[in-house]
Amino acid sequence: EVQLQASGGGLVQAGGSLRLSCVTSGFTFENYAIGWFRQAPGKEREGISCISPSVGSTFYEDSVKGRFTISSDNAKDTVYLQMNSLKPEDTAVYYCAAGVTLVEGTDRMFVYEYEYWGQGTLVTVSS
């Protein structure tokens, strides 16, 4: 059974940091791209960062570039999202997902590219 378990969300003040974790199981971790998406109230789900654990390629959407860092621990089949300099507009439910898609060279993430999804973890950034 494929499982993705996202955790690490919470309430933080603007300028603060959080680290999200996505623990995966049930599929060959290195064969998939792992992505982080977020969905704010009333907005569509957007892809913000992804990683190819096999080669280490990463992608960041412009709004998080320079503030967020994605990484993987292949021994633990886990992906992390370190979020620094958080802003109120980062408030959303954050989801991790796995899909067979290229990371290198991508300029945008699409929900349909990701086959497996975890439950979300809520990040709230207060001003």
Side-chain angles (χ1 to χ4, degrees):
E1 179 186 7
V2 172
Q3 290 189 335
L4 293 92
Q5 182 74 36
S7 63
L11 173 64
V12 63
Q13 289 188 331
S17 299
L18 284 173
R19 188 177 81 153
L20 305 184
S21 299
C22 177
V23 180
T24 76
S25 63
F27 61 96
T28 304
F29 186 69
E30 290 81 2
N31 289 351
Y32 284 75
I34 308 298
W36 285 98
F37 291 75
R38 66 185 181 187
Q39 189 165 18
K43 295 189 177 181
E44 293 187 354
R45 192 169 298 189
E46 64 170 344
I48 58 171
S49 185
C50 59
I51 187 168
S52 172
S54 61
V55 296
S57 302
T58 59
F59 164 80
Y60 298 95
E61 194 269 334
D62 285 348
S63 67
V64 306
K65 198 174 294 183
R67 299 188 297 125
F68 291 9
T69 303
I70 193 169
S71 62
S72 69
D73 183 336
N74 293 8
K76 297 181 178 179
D77 292 352
T78 298
V79 169
Y80 303 98
L81 186 69
Q82 178 66 43
M83 307 187 296
N84 298 330
S85 302
L86 283 162
K87 305 175 181 179
E89 51 263 44
D90 293 319
T91 295
V93 177
Y94 284 69
Y95 301 88
C96 60
V100 180
T101 184
L102 287 176
V103 172
E104 187 171 358
T106 191
D107 60 359
R108 186 178 174 183
M109 295 167 60
F110 295 93
V111 169
Y112 69 80
E113 294 177 321
Y114 289 79
E115 181 178 359
Y116 302 118
W117 291 80
Q119 90 298 349
T121 186
L122 176 63
V123 172
T124 304
V125 184
S126 63
S127 57

